[in-house]
Amino acid sequence: MIESRKSARRFLKSATRAEIDNFVHDANLTPMQAKILRLHFSQEFSICKIALKLNCCESCVRKRLAEIYDKVAKL
């Protein structure tokens, strides 16, 4: 994983729900990205569980997470 994405992931893992909500607004995430972010970090769903819940493949969830990490790194 790219170092900037690793640091973004660490930041999100330690963030509170309020900080995640603020980030969703500040980073201008798409509704799908916001949903994946909240499921993965606030509710601690696995990538597999998110994919099942959203009726998509795991690779789509991973791609969206990478996009989220890139947006976090830019802030």
Side-chain angles (χ1 to χ4, degrees):
M1 184 182 284
I2 299 171
E3 189 60 38
S4 62
R5 288 182 182 166
K6 283 183 185 178
S7 62
R9 183 174 164 200
R10 277 186 242 121
F11 168 76
L12 289 170
K13 278 191 171 190
S14 65
T16 63
R17 286 187 183 193
E19 290 172 332
I20 288 175
D21 289 338
N22 288 336
F23 171 72
V24 167
H25 181 266
D26 294 343
N28 198 24
L29 296 181
T30 66
M32 180 62 78
Q33 289 173 334
K35 185 173 231 164
I36 289 171
L37 176 70
R38 287 186 176 108
L39 288 171
H40 193 60
F41 291 103
S42 294
Q43 298 180 11
E44 299 180 4
F45 277 30
S46 67
I47 290 173
C48 179
K49 195 170 181 180
I50 294 169
L52 289 171
K53 183 170 179 71
L54 300 178
N55 293 325
C56 64
C57 60
E58 290 181 31
S59 63
C60 291
V61 174
R62 284 190 184 91
K63 181 180 177 184
R64 298 292 178 259
L65 281 171
E67 293 168 354
I68 293 166
Y69 296 152
D70 290 341
K71 287 185 177 185
V72 170
K74 289 180 182 177
L75 292 180

